[in-house]
């Protein structure tokens, strides 16, 4: 599948138009290896240039694993008939990144636009693989997104825009109303209450757990660190990384779950496996907490038989007196690869899909990606939904409110794929083995430090 | 064109199967050489392009280090020395050695027993049995692992269901202590039939003269099997043993798929091959992965050679 | 990067495997004690049927599970049918989900495996014959190299091969799967032993005397004699390419190009994925079940080739 080459006609048009387009067309044709498009604050692309690019027949390749995203792409193609988009699902999560890295490393076969989860944005920025979108999108764009989400797609110094947010996962909790009521347990609002509830419930019915804590989901674990105030990761955008997974806040989280797990009050099945799906469907788990904003709908698909029994709630708090704090688990953005031959069209695709009101609402209400634009979050069509499954509760509203309580200042390492993998081998294994989770934090810290040094970073 | 129709002309048996050779490069000789080169060229080209070139490139890569920051530097044998002190790698190799010492003898032993039973013609339903044991070889390892993953399931696998009805608990097939055995079982299930067919074919081609003496002795079936059949198919047994050694050191598919249902039992370094794969794709350390794979290749060679040498020594001792 | 799952070939250091052996009678019908009709044993047959259960129960489970809905898959007994038969619904789902991509996978698996198998069997036959019948400069060295290469784990070659292919623009094309599968060192080894055994030198000499060229001798005289061995190699290659997972996993990006193994594994990964994933368990199981049917049928029909090809020399000392 060779990418569409820029035609001579298009080059000629570019040369007769403004200088910027001429430069772009030429760098695109020369392969643009020097990356001069992204050095310094590039001049914004004018609307005329955008209009021209969007009316030139172009083929874009878009790698994403969002199911049925073809529908939003069709809307985009209807708005810009000259552009055809080839949507390819090369795999999910890790597989997708493997393929992206291989293609980028080979210098051939990379897509124009690709889905990248928030935690991996910096690692692709490190490889100098991403196009800075600043010149390609209106300056006002940032104001249209939830502030903490927008921060996730910026370069570490905030000067560049690496991708456009698509969906997010503010953390809350989902509980089986019927089971809690049967045991006279109130929905826990603090972690202390949560622990008590977990004990009470499991003592009352040994086959039921208030929640399951998987050992294979470092995304969830990291989000809990985020909520507890730990800031384990950092990167200065160059050679220095911060690694601190053994902070008092992180230790507090590890100790908390270690106590619950070792007491047997919480199950430790790996999540997203068939066993776990069954646990949700057959009432083994009376709750899924902490979980993320994309979970309510996910549950409707996998535990249809429990319809009407679930309720959403805020995430339990460490500090009952302060204002509520949440965190984010999951969520993606769409980035443009620097290697693209059609930066303008690619940037417009990434933006349009995740910014156009019709497209974002469709993503939210048919594919159930939790929105990141203020407009969609507050739109009646989204927040007024009261699904039967949740007994008529307006779950979207619950999570939209939670989204306002996610702290902004959370950053990542430029190698989160390794960080999660090493975390699963240490912390995750300790969870699964009901072992020393606090001690495992140290092992995780050591593994990360060793790796960072091996890769040439200095560790703070 | 079926195999059974091929009739060999009953010529006088020539001892070595080598063409009559002439001294000096006669025109005839040159013609033969040319023909030989023409015949091997297609294979050699493919072999060179898709095995040798990547191999050389891989060897070249293993001499460098490519850091996320700081770029690529030549480090000579650093990656190799690192591998030899890397507990992840060494544990993986050790695990495969255990796997090999337990699984290969069981698998080949069973394959041999089944082949002997089929060969001696004491079974009813011969063809059905032979095919039934061979069928799992047709199942891709991906699907085999998926299937057994369900069968092993702790909550709703058939074994667990049966145990529940009997009010006992099924063994935790997917737990830390059972996992290696569970994988051994999957691999055996897949390959017993394959090895059985190879051994069975070898048994069928034992020349009848070998049995004449046994018949005169009035040796029983078991004794015939032990003292005539098994020695006669020794080469085939060695062949299957070597295949199995190579196969088990390169174990990848089964554990990699079981990882989705037991993510904390099977780590990224469960087998050396998985480790190399994850080093390349998760740690983004292709250079080190190349070195690991090379060392693994050397280990496989050493083990394969020693399998051969030990059997040869036995053979010599027996003479 | 061979596609031999558990097949390689022994290295060659005067191994007993390639001791030249005199041609032997193929048939063992005239075995000394085949005249006394072995007594069949009921006991042994019963024992073997129990053994057979072990080999067939997983497949039975797969068949049963294919008839269940997602919910029944986990709530009913695994080795027996549930009250509702969802087989047709499942099959429909398999063939229609993702715009019928399953059929493409089936087609790809067929194309890749047949092309690779035919190609590698022919290349191996030509080379094996040459190594067996000609003594030419460099022959032994090349042959040893071919056998030695089998020991290298595939992962050693995966990434370099990927990079090389990417630079040649071959990744994400059918060629990326077919070309590396063409080199089957094990096939060459088998064919060498087989050719040494089944092509009589007197025949070659006779043809030479008749004035036939060397290549013509190969294509007219030898190839016919080599065909059982060729078919065996072809079958091995067919199964190993059909079952191959690692190579296409690395090389291919478009689901439209996946073979069945990679496609089904990706469905499995989707089911185990995070947000926005779909639990396709019943489709995965039904898809798996359907995918093994073609090979099982092929086994039923081609059984005798396995045996005859291997028996007539390939595995004997």
């Amino acid at each position: 599948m060779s990418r569409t080459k820029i035609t001579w006609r298009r080059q000629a048009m570019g040369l007769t138009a403004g200088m910027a387009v001429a430069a772009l067309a030429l760098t695109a044709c020369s392969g643009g290896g020097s990356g001069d498009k992204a050095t310094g604050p590039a001049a914004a692309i004018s609307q005329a240039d955008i209009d021209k690019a969007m009316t030139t027949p172009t083929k874009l390749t878009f790698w994403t694993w969002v199911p049925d995203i073809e529908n939003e792409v069709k809307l985009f193609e209807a708005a810009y008939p000259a552009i055809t988009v080839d949507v390819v699902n090369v795999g999910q999560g890790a597989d997708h990144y493997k393929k992206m890295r291989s293609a980028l490393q080979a210098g051939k076969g990379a897509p124009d636009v690709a889905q990248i989860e928030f935690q991996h944005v910096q690692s692709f920025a490190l490889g100098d693989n991403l196009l800075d979108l600043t010149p390609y999108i209106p300056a006002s764009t940032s104001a249209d997104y939830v502030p903490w989400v927008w921060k996730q797609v910026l370069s570490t110094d905030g000067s560049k825009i690496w991708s456009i947010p698509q969906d997010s996962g503010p953390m809350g909790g989902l509980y089986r109303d019927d089971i809690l009521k049967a045991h006279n347990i109130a929905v826990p609002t603090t972690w202390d209450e949560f622990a008590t509830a977990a004990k009470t419930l499991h003592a009352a019915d040994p086959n039921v757990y208030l929640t399951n804590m998987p050992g294979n989901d470092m995304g969830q674990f990291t989000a809990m660190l985020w909520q507890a105030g730990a800031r384990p990761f950092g990167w200065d955008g160059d050679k220095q990384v911060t690694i601190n997974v053994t902070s008092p806040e992180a230790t507090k989280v590890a100790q908390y779950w270690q106590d619950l797990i070792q007491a047997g009050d919480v199950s430790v099945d790996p999540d997203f496996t068939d066993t776990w799906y069954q646990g949700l469907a057959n009432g083994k788990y009376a709750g899924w907490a902490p979980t993320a904003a994309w979970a309510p709908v996910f549950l409707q698909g996998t535990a249809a038989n429990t319809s009407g029994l679930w309720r959403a709630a805020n995430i339990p708090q460490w500090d009952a007196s302060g204002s509520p704090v949440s965190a984010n688990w999951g969520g993606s953005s769409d980035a443009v690869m620097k290697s693209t031959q059609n930066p303008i069209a690619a940037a417009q695709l990434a933006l349009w899909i995740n910014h156009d009101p019709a497209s974002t609402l469709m993503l939210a209400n048919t594919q159930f990606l939790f929105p990141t634009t203020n407009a969609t979050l507050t739109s009646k069509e989204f927040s007024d939904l009261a699904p039967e499954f949740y007994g008529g509760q307006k779950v979207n509203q619950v999570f939209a409110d939670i989204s306002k309580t996610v702290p902004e200042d959370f950053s990542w390492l430029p190698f989160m794929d390794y960080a999660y993998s090493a975390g699963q081998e240490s912390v995750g294994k300790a969870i699964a083995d009901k072992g020393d989770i606090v001690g495992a934090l140290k092992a995780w810290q050591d593994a990360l430090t060793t790796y960072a040094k091996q890769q040439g970073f200095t560790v703070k | 064109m079926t195999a059974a129709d091929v009739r060999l002309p009953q010529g006088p048996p020539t001892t070595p199967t080598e063409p009559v050779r002439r001294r000096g490069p006669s025109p005839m000789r040159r013609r033969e050489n040319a023909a030989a080169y023409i015949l091997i060229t297609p294979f050699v080209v493919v072999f060179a392009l898709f095995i040798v070139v990547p191999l050389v490139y891989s060897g070249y890569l293993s001499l460098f280090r490519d850091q996320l920051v700081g770029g690529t530097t030549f480090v000579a044998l650093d990656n190799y020395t690192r591998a030899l002190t890397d507990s992840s790698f060494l544990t993986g190799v050790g695990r495969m050695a255990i796997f090999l010492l337990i699984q290969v003898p069981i698998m080949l032993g069973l394959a041999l027993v089944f082949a002997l039973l089929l060969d001696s013609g004491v079974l009813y339903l011969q063809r059905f049995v032979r095919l039934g044991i061979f069928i799992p070889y047709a199942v891709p390892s991906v699907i085999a692992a998926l299937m057994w993953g369900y069968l092993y399931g702790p909550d709703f696998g058939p074994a667990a269901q049966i145990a529940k009805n009997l009010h006992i608990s099924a063994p935790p097939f997917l737990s830390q202590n059972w996992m290696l055995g569970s994988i051994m079982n999957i691999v055996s299930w897949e390959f017993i039939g394959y090895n059985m067919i190879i051994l069975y074919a070898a048994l069928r081609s034992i020349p009848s003269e070998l049995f004449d003496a046994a018949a005169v002795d009035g040796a029983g079936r078991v004794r015939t099997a032990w003292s005539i059949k098994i020695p006669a198919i020794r080469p085939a047994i060695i062949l299957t043993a070597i295949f199995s050694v190579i196969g088990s050191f390169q174990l990848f598919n089964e554990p990699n798929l079981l990882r989705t249902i037991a993510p904390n039992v099977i780590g990224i370094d469960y087998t050396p091959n998985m480790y190399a794969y994850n080093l390349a794709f998760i740690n983004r350390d292709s250079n080190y992965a190349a070195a690991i794979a090379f060392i693994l290749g050397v280990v496989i060679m050493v083990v394969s050679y020693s399998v051969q040498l030990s059997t040869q020594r036995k053979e010599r001792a027996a003479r | 990067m061979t596609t031999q799952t558990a097949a390689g070939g022994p290295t060659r250091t005067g191994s007993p495997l390639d001791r030249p052996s005199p041609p032997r009678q193929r048939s063992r019908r005239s075995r000394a004690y085949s005249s006394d009709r072995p007594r069949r044993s009921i006991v042994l047959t019963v024992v073997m049927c129990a053994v057979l259960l072990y080999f067939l129960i997983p497949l039975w489970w797969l068949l049963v599970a294919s008839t269940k809905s997602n919910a029944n898959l986990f709530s009913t007994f695994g080795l027996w049918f549930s009250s509702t038969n969802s087989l047709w619904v499942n099959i429909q789902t398999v063939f229609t989900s993702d715009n019928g991509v399953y059929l493409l996978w089936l087609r790809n698996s067929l194309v890749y495996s047949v092309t690779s198998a035919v190609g590698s069997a022919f290349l191996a036959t030509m080379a094996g014959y040459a190594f067996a019948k000609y003594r030419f400069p460099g022959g032994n060295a090349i042959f040893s190299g071919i056998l030695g290469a089998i020991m290298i784990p595939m992962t050693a070659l995966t990434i370099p091969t990927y990079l090389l292919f990417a630079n040649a623009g071959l990744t994400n094309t059918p060629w990326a799967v077919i070309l590396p599968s063409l080199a089957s060192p094990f096939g060459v080894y088998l064919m060498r032993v087989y050719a040494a055994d089944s092509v009589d030198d007197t025949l070659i000499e006779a043809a030479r005397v008749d004035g036939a060229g060397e290549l013509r001798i190969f294509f007219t005289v030898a190839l016919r004699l080599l065909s059982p061995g060729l078919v065996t190699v072809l079958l091995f290659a067919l199964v190993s390419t059909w079952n191959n997972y690692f190579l296409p996993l690395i090389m291919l990006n478009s689901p439209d190009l996946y073979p069945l193994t990679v496609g089904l594994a990706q469905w499995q990964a989707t089911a185990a994925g995070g947000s926005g994933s779909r639990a396709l368990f019943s489709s995965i199981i039904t898809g798996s079940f359907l995918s093994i049917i073609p090979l099982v049928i092929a086994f039923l029909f081609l059984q005798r080739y396995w045996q005859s090809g291997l028996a007539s020399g390939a595995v004997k000392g």
Side-chain angles (χ1 to χ4, degrees):
Chain A
M1 289 192 302
S2 63
R3 208 170 293 119
T4 320
K5 291 273 183 293
I6 295 179
T7 56
W8 282 106
R9 200 172 57 86
R10 167 149 184 218
Q11 273 188 53
M13 284 164 67
L15 287 163
T16 51
M19 284 305 290
V21 174
L24 270 172
L26 288 170
T27 48
C29 286
S30 66
S34 54
D36 42 349
K37 295 193 288 284
T39 45
I45 309 291
S46 72
Q47 192 56 44
D49 299 336
I50 294 178
D51 292 343
K52 187 184 298 293
M54 299 312 283
T55 50
T56 309
T58 311
K59 188 162 177 265
L60 296 173
T61 308
F62 180 19
W63 284 7
T64 174
W65 67 83
V66 173
D68 303 323
I69 198 160
E70 288 84 356
N71 299 333
E72 286 78 15
V73 168
K74 281 198 188 91
L75 293 180
F76 172 80
E77 288 174 328
Y80 300 105
I83 317 279
T84 46
V85 183
D86 187 11
V87 177
V88 187
N89 175 357
V90 298
Q92 184 149 350
D95 290 337
H96 169 93
Y97 299 123
K98 279 172 197 168
K99 300 233 183 238
M100 272 182 66
R101 293 226 160 81
S102 305
L104 291 164
Q105 192 182 351
K108 284 214 178 95
D112 299 294
V113 182
Q115 176 180 359
I116 301 179
E117 289 159 291
F118 295 141
Q119 69 269 25
H120 294 302
V121 171
Q122 301 305 342
S123 69
F124 284 96
L126 166 70
D128 199 26
N129 302 126
L130 306 181
L131 181 71
D132 177 11
L133 297 176
T134 313
Y136 297 89
I137 61 177
S140 61
T141 309
S142 63
D144 301 338
Y145 287 86
V146 177
W148 70 262
V149 173
W150 188 250
K151 208 160 169 310
Q152 293 284 312
V153 300
L154 298 179
S155 62
T156 47
D157 60 359
S159 70
K160 297 188 177 73
I161 301 166
W162 291 134
S163 59
I164 306 290
Q166 181 162 69
D167 69 309
S168 63
M171 294 233 289
L174 296 172
Y175 302 97
R176 280 281 295 272
D177 191 49
D178 56 325
I179 299 181
L180 294 198
K181 281 212 172 86
H183 295 282
N184 283 327
I185 295 170
V187 170
T189 57
T190 66
W191 285 114
D192 283 345
E193 287 174 17
F194 186 91
T196 313
K199 272 195 201 327
T200 313
L201 179 61
H202 188 63
D205 187 345
N207 294 321
V208 179
Y209 299 91
L210 181 59
T211 194
N212 174 65
M213 181 45 55
N216 62 327
D217 215 319
M218 293 317 288
Q220 184 187 20
F221 189 82
T222 305
M224 290 193 297
L225 299 185
W226 185 340
Q227 193 224 356
R231 294 295 176 264
F233 309 128
W235 179 43
D236 69 351
D238 186 26
K239 286 193 177 153
Q240 185 168 291
V241 291
T242 310
I243 299 168
N244 186 6
V245 295
T246 51
S247 63
E249 296 88 350
T251 307
K252 176 175 70 176
V253 173
Q255 186 68 57
Y256 177 84
W257 289 103
Q258 183 174 317
D259 294 345
L260 275 181
I261 288 167
Q262 290 185 343
D265 298 328
V266 168
S267 60
V268 288
D269 304 327
D271 63 0
F272 301 103
T273 58
D274 15 24
T275 304
W276 178 84
Y277 283 116
Q278 293 321 302
L280 286 173
N282 65 20
K284 179 182 177 183
Y285 315 132
W288 183 9
T291 187
W294 39 259
V297 166
F298 183 82
L299 213 50
Q300 290 185 44
T302 51
N305 58 327
T306 56
S307 180
L309 305 176
W310 292 85
R311 298 289 181 278
N314 206 336
I315 187 171
Q317 297 296 311
W318 289 104
D319 176 7
S321 58
S323 53
V325 180
S326 181
N328 178 69
W329 171 23
S332 289
S333 63
D334 287 328
V336 177
M337 297 302 112
K338 214 171 186 171
S339 54
T340 181
Q341 308 257 353
N342 304 296
I344 296 182
Q348 288 304 309
L349 171 66
L351 179 66
W352 198 92
I353 294 252
N354 302 311
H355 190 269
D356 177 81
S359 175
T360 50
L361 191 66
M362 194 193 266
L363 282 171
N365 283 352
T366 61
Q367 282 113 312
F368 310 114
L369 300 182
F370 195 77
T372 51
T373 60
N374 298 319
T376 311
L377 274 171
T378 53
S379 76
K380 286 268 170 273
E381 295 95 325
F382 172 75
S383 58
D384 274 354
L385 285 184
E388 227 8 67
F389 193 87
Y390 294 90
Q393 185 191 21
K394 293 185 179 176
V395 272
N396 285 345
Q397 191 56 57
V398 174
F399 281 99
D401 291 341
I402 293 174
S403 181
K404 296 177 187 135
T405 66
V406 177
E408 267 184 49
D409 58 333
F410 194 84
S411 44
W412 303 98
L413 289 168
F415 44 83
M416 283 315 294
D417 29 14
Y418 173 78
Y420 278 176
S421 152
Q424 188 176 317
E425 301 281 300
S426 50
V427 176
K429 200 161 174 4
I431 290 173
D433 297 346
K434 305 182 182 182
D436 178 5
I437 304 174
V438 174
L441 288 177
K442 177 84 177 63
W444 192 17
Q445 173 83 20
D446 293 344
L448 287 173
T449 309
T450 309
Y451 178 79
K453 286 180 176 156
Q454 261 168 4
Q455 292 293 353
F457 293 97
T458 51
V459 181
K460 201 171 85 181
Chain B
M1 206 45 226
T2 64
D5 303 338
V6 179
R7 294 238 191 292
L8 269 188
Q10 295 298 316
T14 48
T15 357
T17 57
E18 271 169 25
V20 183
R21 214 160 303 108
R22 293 165 181 73
R23 294 191 188 286
S26 61
M28 173 90 156
R29 190 94 194 91
R30 268 204 296 275
R31 221 177 51 196
E32 284 178 27
N33 284 349
Y37 287 126
I38 291 170
L39 285 171
I40 64 164
T41 297
F43 177 83
V44 169
V45 167
V46 170
F47 179 77
L49 280 179
F50 305 120
I51 294 181
V52 178
V53 171
L55 196 63
V56 171
Y57 186 37
S58 186
Y60 166 83
L61 282 178
S62 72
L63 303 176
F64 289 85
R65 178 188 299 140
D66 183 6
Q67 294 174 303
L68 289 178
V69 286
T72 310
T73 42
F74 177 76
V75 294
L77 296 178
D78 269 15
N79 287 320
Y80 291 89
T81 48
R82 182 179 153 196
L84 294 175
T85 55
D86 182 343
S87 65
S88 283
F89 175 61
L90 298 177
T91 315
V93 172
R95 191 177 284 118
M96 287 309 94
I98 295 169
F99 184 94
L100 189 136
L101 288 172
I102 298 173
Q103 190 263 342
V104 172
I106 291 178
M107 175 174 73
L108 294 184
L110 288 171
L112 183 60
V113 169
F114 299 159
L116 287 166
L117 280 174
L118 287 171
D119 180 60
S120 61
V122 292
L123 300 178
Y124 295 92
L125 307 168
Q126 282 263 59
R127 293 189 54 175
F128 177 65
V129 170
R130 191 173 67 203
L131 188 71
I133 296 176
F134 188 41
I135 282 284
Y137 177 56
V139 179
S141 54
V142 173
I143 291 172
L146 192 121
M147 245 170 19
W148 281 98
Y150 275 97
L151 294 171
Y152 289 149
D155 289 342
F156 43 80
Q161 288 170 330
I162 292 168
K164 209 177 214 163
N165 287 334
L166 300 175
H167 300 292
I168 50 174
S169 56
F173 293 110
L174 299 171
S175 64
Q176 195 74 42
N177 297 333
W178 282 75
M179 183 58 89
L180 196 60
S182 298
I183 296 175
M184 285 179 191
N185 174 56
I186 299 177
V187 176
S188 303
W189 181 82
E190 288 176 282
F191 287 107
I192 284 177
Y194 165 86
N195 288 304
M196 177 191 79
I197 288 285
I198 291 181
L199 297 174
Y200 175 70
L203 285 169
R204 300 307 294 173
S205 62
I206 298 175
S208 47
E209 307 86 78
L210 278 181
F211 293 100
D212 296 346
V216 170
D217 283 355
R221 265 202 203 95
V222 175
R223 223 193 100 196
T224 311
W226 184 253
S227 53
I228 294 176
K229 288 185 182 180
I230 292 179
I233 61 163
R234 187 186 294 271
I237 296 173
I238 296 170
L239 187 79
T240 53
I242 286 171
F243 284 180
S244 310
V245 167
I246 294 168
S248 36
F249 269 114
Q250 296 200 15
L251 196 64
F252 177 86
N253 291 358
E254 292 85 355
N256 201 44
L257 275 136
L258 287 175
R259 191 174 147 77
T260 54
I261 52 175
N264 297 103
V265 175
I266 296 183
I268 54 163
D269 52 3
Y270 197 77
T271 75
N273 223 356
M274 272 178 83
Y275 187 48
Y277 174 80
N278 287 309
L279 278 173
F281 286 107
I282 290 182
N283 296 23
R284 289 193 268 164
D285 203 344
S286 312
N287 308 83
Y288 184 40
I292 289 271
F294 254 86
I295 297 178
L296 187 59
V298 172
V299 170
I300 293 175
M301 277 193 202
V302 169
V303 176
S304 305
Y305 273 121
S306 37
V307 167
Q308 273 208 322
L309 291 175
S310 69
T311 49
Q312 275 170 20
R313 229 174 283 130
K314 269 192 209 129
E315 222 170 43
R316 253 178 252 126
R319 269 185 209 140
Chain C
M1 193 90 106
T2 55
T3 55
Q4 298 290 354
T5 344
T11 46
R12 194 162 156 280
T13 47
S15 97
L17 283 162
D18 38 39
R19 267 209 320 271
S21 48
R24 296 199 175 115
Q25 288 161 317
R26 186 132 315 133
S27 139
R28 259 190 54 209
R29 302 271 170 269
S30 59
R31 249 194 206 177
Y33 67 113
S34 64
S35 51
D36 68 6
R37 285 285 151 77
R39 280 189 312 282
R40 296 190 175 203
S41 149
I42 304 254
V43 177
L44 280 174
T45 303
V46 170
V47 169
M48 280 315 278
C49 283
V51 166
L52 209 54
L53 274 184
Y54 163 79
F55 287 101
L56 297 180
I57 275 184
L59 297 171
W60 169 252
W61 174 86
L62 193 64
L63 166 70
V64 168
S66 300
T67 67
K68 292 182 181 177
S69 65
N70 240 348
N72 282 340
L73 199 53
F74 301 106
S75 54
T76 58
F77 181 53
L79 297 176
W80 197 247
F81 301 96
S82 62
S83 50
T84 50
N85 180 355
S86 317
L87 180 62
W88 305 118
V89 182
N90 288 346
I91 291 180
Q92 266 177 338
T93 315
V94 166
F95 284 121
T96 52
S97 47
D98 297 340
N99 307 322
V101 76
Y102 185 87
L103 277 172
L104 287 179
W105 294 344
L106 188 65
R107 183 204 64 188
N108 296 339
S109 272
L110 272 171
V111 170
Y112 299 159
S113 54
V114 171
T115 321
S116 305
V118 171
S120 69
F122 267 95
L123 295 183
T125 305
M126 282 159 66
Y129 169 82
F131 284 124
K133 294 293 166 190
Y134 296 106
R135 190 53 81 81
F136 54 97
N140 279 343
I142 297 172
F143 188 71
S144 309
I146 289 171
L147 288 185
I150 294 161
M151 308 286 166
I152 299 293
M154 56 187 169
T155 30
L157 301 179
T158 308
I159 295 126
T161 310
Y162 177 88
L163 292 174
L164 293 167
F165 273 42
N167 285 321
L170 284 172
T171 46
N172 208 30
T173 65
W175 297 112
V177 181
I178 293 169
L179 291 174
S181 311
L182 289 176
S184 164
F186 171 62
V188 174
Y189 163 79
L190 267 186
M191 288 315 292
R192 179 179 189 243
V193 180
Y194 191 79
D197 207 51
S198 63
V199 181
D200 206 317
D201 288 324
T202 50
L203 271 180
I204 299 179
E205 283 301 332
R208 279 180 190 150
V209 172
D210 288 349
E214 297 295 327
L215 292 180
R216 214 182 115 202
I217 294 174
F218 172 76
F219 283 108
T220 53
V221 180
L223 202 55
R224 214 181 46 223
L225 296 173
L226 290 171
S227 60
L230 188 147
V231 172
T232 308
V233 171
L234 192 138
L235 286 173
F236 272 115
L238 191 75
V239 173
S240 65
T241 320
W242 181 276
N243 292 353
N244 199 0
Y245 168 69
F246 198 74
L247 178 72
L249 173 76
I250 304 290
M251 290 289 177
L252 304 175
N253 296 329
S254 310
D256 292 359
L257 292 173
Y258 289 167
L260 281 164
T261 44
V262 178
L264 288 168
Q266 197 185 35
W267 271 0
Q268 170 79 353
T270 308
S275 55
S277 66
R278 304 155 296 166
L280 288 155
F281 299 117
S282 53
S283 309
I284 296 161
I285 287 169
T286 310
S288 303
F289 174 68
L290 294 174
S291 80
I292 61 173
I293 293 174
L295 263 197
V296 170
I297 291 173
F299 270 36
L300 287 170
F301 281 100
L302 299 168
Q303 249 209 105
R304 58 180 174 175
Y305 286 106
W306 292 98
Q307 197 203 315
S308 58
L310 284 166
S312 33
V315 291
K316 56 198 220 185

